[in-house]
Amino acid sequence: MIDELWHLVQIPLAWIKWAKDQGLWDFITAGSGVMISVFVLGGHKKKIPEFSVHLTYSMGTGHKNYPNVLNIELRNLMDAPLVIGRPNFKFAKGVHAGRYAHGNTATGDYEIKFRPMGTDGLPIPGYSYTHVMLRHREQAYSYLPLTDDWDEQALLTAIAPQRRWGLFKTEKGLGTLFLNVVLLKDEKPRVISMAVPVIRLQRGVEAPRLGREWG
């Protein structure tokens, strides 16, 4: 038995020695480094300094159509304006939207519309838009209806880290918020695509302003 185990251990060691003798070990090591770098860099989402995306949840709002919502607040802290465009949301597998969420059957994502916020911190009455310009310190707000039958515990359970292969946990989250941010600081506008994973949510206001005129 011991001899068999020793033979199995020697197989990978012999292969490593052969690869080194053939000059392949450095190539394999370099290739592994490149693959790891691509994996790590690919996992990072583009961020914009001084542009804030704040996500919270409100459960039991009292609104008959939107009892549970994901609150989305944007804030521009740069000294130059920017434009938000093409916002949409894609839910994680197994997570469902509320009945009144505007879904796109063709793409599987959900429509997001923003409304500018006033100095009182409340959305300004009027229509909401998929494109909105934010000047210095200006804010915009939107919300996405979550499934009606959730309570807070059901939400926290849905976004709790999931264990894979019994080794480590990964954060599932609600899904991903996608935005195109057009920076107007330079002479030539620059578009940055953002993908914001919705994880580690905090509780927001209990009764956000969800009027009938929103649309």
Side-chain angles (χ1 to χ4, degrees):
M1 181 66 179
I2 296 177
D3 292 339
E4 292 180 357
L5 292 176
W6 177 252
H7 177 70
L8 291 176
V9 170
Q10 291 300 310
I11 292 176
L13 295 177
W15 185 88
I16 292 174
K17 183 178 184 301
W18 177 85
K20 185 176 181 180
D21 293 339
Q22 298 298 320
L24 298 176
W25 186 247
D26 291 341
F27 177 79
I28 294 173
T29 303
S32 301
V34 171
M35 292 180 64
I36 293 172
S37 299
V38 170
F39 177 80
V40 172
L41 293 175
H44 287 75
K45 306 302 180 182
K46 291 183 178 178
K47 298 179 181 179
I48 304 175
E50 300 180 309
F51 172 63
S52 172
V53 180
H54 186 52
L55 304 171
T56 60
Y57 65 86
S58 296
M59 313 298 289
T61 64
H63 195 289
K64 64 177 182 179
N65 295 334
Y66 313 114
N68 304 319
V69 296
L70 172 70
N71 302 298
I72 306 171
E73 298 181 38
L74 308 180
R75 188 178 185 188
N76 179 19
L77 299 176
M78 296 190 298
D79 57 0
L82 54 80
V83 175
I84 306 299
R86 301 184 64 183
N88 62 80
F89 189 90
K90 186 175 288 292
F91 280 97
K93 184 178 181 180
V95 182
H96 304 287
R99 291 175 296 163
Y100 292 92
H102 295 165
N104 186 334
T105 304
T107 60
D109 55 21
Y110 285 82
E111 176 184 286
I112 301 291
K113 290 184 178 180
F114 287 100
R115 182 177 294 176
M117 297 176 67
T119 56
D120 57 358
L122 296 175
I124 298 174
Y127 289 108
S128 55
Y129 302 92
T130 56
H131 288 70
V132 61
M133 174 181 284
L134 297 181
R135 297 175 178 82
H136 175 59
R137 298 186 67 84
E138 288 186 340
Q139 303 177 70
Y141 172 77
S142 186
Y143 67 91
L144 182 64
L146 302 176
T147 183
D148 298 6
D149 56 359
W150 264 357
D151 57 16
E152 186 173 30
Q153 184 56 49
L155 168 66
L156 297 178
T157 300
I159 65 176
Q162 306 294 311
R163 187 177 297 277
R164 290 187 177 182
W165 305 301
L167 298 177
F168 57 89
K169 293 183 177 181
T170 57
E171 292 176 291
K172 176 182 177 182
L174 281 180
T176 304
L177 172 66
F178 296 94
L179 300 169
N180 278 356
V181 182
V182 184
L183 303 180
L184 303 178
K185 185 175 183 179
D186 301 324
E187 294 181 0
K188 183 179 180 180
R190 184 160 59 101
V191 180
I192 297 180
S193 297
M194 296 184 65
V196 184
V198 182
I199 56 178
R200 296 189 295 274
L201 282 174
Q202 296 179 349
R203 182 187 302 160
V205 294
E206 294 300 326
R209 185 174 180 177
L210 308 173
R212 290 183 178 178
E213 75 281 1
W214 193 286

